[in-house]
């Protein structure tokens, strides 16, 4: 299709905004979900407090990106929104329960009597697990075109197990950057333990994807596409072994290069996102509806575009400002 008109380009703009929002959410809320999943492994109340403190100024704002992404899907692509949420009603409900439980536990763990703190710590972990696993299930279901056969369900289950592992690696990388001393040492060990299981799982998912979605085969393994796309898996491999190098050499972390773990994991997420986007484009609901079929009228999109053009820069600027203000090493969370 020759995309030369405003009516043809505008849906692509909204698709890019939605993609940016969801990618930002997966990365930003991914690391604080990972910290929540790691919380039971901390050895003392002080370490748990520091872990919560490391995400305290950020976690609530990180979820803004999820609201933006789903909001764009609703207002710009309502037909796709209906199909997706109808197929994913149960995992979406589980995710929302998990996110609500995390929010309640975050506040109550620092205000409740001491004897109830372990309960709220466990609630924070359970909320993180429910949210991350349900997101993995939703991603797997989406890739398979909501296939309810045994292969589609097995694939969705595989990603439901893999995504929490990836979030744990992201969360460990965040703690390596944001903490010091014994907790940082623990975070390096946690990253090392989850790295290989996550790597094998990602490779298995990559191999299985063409089986559950045959359209991927032609896009990735045709000539010359296969040569043009080769930098994506190669870059993922380089990022993976960069993480391994850092977590197996404690002196590298002590020298101030612990941030490589987080940065390399983010790179893997970004490359996987663009690989998935390339695999399914131009469909917005795989095998059922492309981006132009799902979009509302050009007039409606034009009005929405004005609002997004104002809102999106504000969210980006606020996010950058927030991270700049609260950057630095975390200390134990306290309330006056």
């Amino acid at each position: 299709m020759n995309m030369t008109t405003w009516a043809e380009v505008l849906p692509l703009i909204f698709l890019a905004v939605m993609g940016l929002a969801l990618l930002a959410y997966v990365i930003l809320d991914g690391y604080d979900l990972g910290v929540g999943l790691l919380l039971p492994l901390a050895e003392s109340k002080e370490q748990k407090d520091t872990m919560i403190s490391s995400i305290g100024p950020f976690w609530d704002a990180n979820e803004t990106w999820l609201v933006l992404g789903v909001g764009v899907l609703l207002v710009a692509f309502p037909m796709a929104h209906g199909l997706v949420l109808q197929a994913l009603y149960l995992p979406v409900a589980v995710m929302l329960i998990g996110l609500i439980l995390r929010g309640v536990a975050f506040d109550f763990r620092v205000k409740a009597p001491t004897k109830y703190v372990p309960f709220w710590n466990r609630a924070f972990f359970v909320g993180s697990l429910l949210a991350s696993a349900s997101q993995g299930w939703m991603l797997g279901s989406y890739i398979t075109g909501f296939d309810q056969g045994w292969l589609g369900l097995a694939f969705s289950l595989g990603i439901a197990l893999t995504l929490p592992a990836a979030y744990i690696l992201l969360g460990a990388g965040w703690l390596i950057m944001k903490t010091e001393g014994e907790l940082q040492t623990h975070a390096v060990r946690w990253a090392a333990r989850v790295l290989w299981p996550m790597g094998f799982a990602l490779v298995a998912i990559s191999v299985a994807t063409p089986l559950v979605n045959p359209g991927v085969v032609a896009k990735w393994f045709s000539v010359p596409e296969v040569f043009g796309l080769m930098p994506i898996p190669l870059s993922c491999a380089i990022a993976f072994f960069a993480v391994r190098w850092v977590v197996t050499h404690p002196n590298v972390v002590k020298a101030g290069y612990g941030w490589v773990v987080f940065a390399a994991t983010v790179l893997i997420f970004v490359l996987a996102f663009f690989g998935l986007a390339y695999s399914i484009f131009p469909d917005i609901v795989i095998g059922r509806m492309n981006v132009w079929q799902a979009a509302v009228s050009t007039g409606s999109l034009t009005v929405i575009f004005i609002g997004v053009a104002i809102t999106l820069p504000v969210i980006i600027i606020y996010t950058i400002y927030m991270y700049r203000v609260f950057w630095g090493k975390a200390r134990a969370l306290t309330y006056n």
Side-chain angles (χ1 to χ4, degrees):
M1 182 178 293
N2 183 18
M3 299 166 197
T4 58
T5 68
W6 178 244
E8 293 168 337
V9 172
L10 193 54
L12 295 180
I13 295 175
F14 279 94
L15 184 66
V17 171
M18 186 177 70
L20 171 65
L22 294 178
L23 176 61
Y25 170 77
V26 167
I27 293 173
L28 297 180
D29 206 40
Y31 76 72
D32 64 55
L33 284 168
V35 171
L37 293 171
L38 289 168
L39 193 64
L41 300 181
E43 295 181 345
S44 65
K45 180 181 181 301
E46 290 71 21
Q47 289 185 4
K48 289 181 170 66
D49 288 343
T50 302
M51 291 171 69
I52 294 295
S53 177
S54 73
I55 63 175
F58 312 109
W59 75 275
D60 213 6
N62 292 340
E63 293 175 1
T64 302
W65 292 100
L66 177 63
V67 176
L68 176 63
V70 175
V72 170
L73 179 64
L74 172 63
V75 299
F77 308 105
M79 290 183 289
H81 179 274
L83 283 175
V84 170
L85 290 193
Q86 181 181 7
L88 299 177
Y89 184 84
L90 182 57
V92 167
V94 172
M95 180 186 72
L96 293 177
I97 291 171
L99 294 177
I100 292 170
L101 185 58
R102 274 166 46 87
V104 172
F106 184 89
D107 285 331
F108 274 53
R109 70 174 301 278
V110 294
K111 298 177 182 179
T114 303
K115 64 179 180 179
Y116 294 119
V117 171
F119 170 81
W120 291 114
N121 285 338
R122 288 192 292 271
F124 193 80
F125 165 77
V126 171
S128 301
L129 182 60
L130 289 176
S132 56
S134 60
Q135 289 171 17
W137 183 276
M138 287 188 283
L139 177 59
S141 297
Y142 179 76
I143 293 174
T144 63
F146 311 117
D147 179 17
Q148 296 301 308
W150 71 268
L151 186 59
L153 294 176
F155 184 82
S156 299
L157 178 61
I159 298 190
L161 297 174
T162 301
L163 190 61
Y167 282 166
I168 288 173
L169 181 60
L170 200 59
W174 176 259
L175 292 174
I176 292 171
M177 288 195 305
K178 294 287 288 181
T179 62
E180 299 173 312
E182 189 176 0
L183 181 55
Q184 185 186 60
T185 302
H186 289 329
V188 172
R189 187 170 67 251
W190 297 334
R193 287 179 177 177
V194 79
L195 180 61
W196 281 109
M198 187 210 71
F200 284 126
L202 287 179
V203 171
I205 294 295
S206 299
V207 173
T209 299
L211 299 177
V212 298
N213 189 347
V216 173
V217 177
K219 284 197 169 187
W220 279 85
F221 300 106
S222 300
V223 177
E225 286 85 353
V226 65
F227 298 107
L229 295 169
M230 191 61 67
I232 292 180
L234 289 178
S235 298
C236 284
I238 292 171
F240 177 88
F241 284 105
V243 173
R244 183 179 181 276
W245 172 260
V246 173
V247 299
T248 55
H249 292 78
N251 290 336
V252 175
V253 176
K254 292 180 180 179
Y257 294 99
W259 59 268
V260 172
V261 176
F262 185 79
T265 307
V266 168
L267 178 60
I268 293 173
F269 272 76
V270 171
L271 292 172
F273 172 82
F274 281 108
L276 176 61
Y278 171 78
S279 298
I280 66 176
F281 183 81
D283 286 354
I284 193 169
V285 180
I286 298 173
R288 302 188 190 184
M289 189 180 300
N290 67 36
V291 61
W292 296 280
Q293 293 170 337
V296 296
S297 67
T298 302
S300 298
L301 284 181
T302 302
V303 174
I304 301 168
F305 176 80
I306 297 172
V308 172
I310 296 171
T311 304
L312 182 59
V314 172
I315 295 175
I316 293 174
I317 292 170
Y318 168 75
T319 300
I320 295 173
Y321 176 75
M322 175 185 63
Y323 275 87
R324 182 175 179 181
V325 168
F326 292 103
W327 198 250
K329 297 294 183 179
R331 298 292 183 267
L333 186 65
T334 59
Y335 279 71
N336 295 323

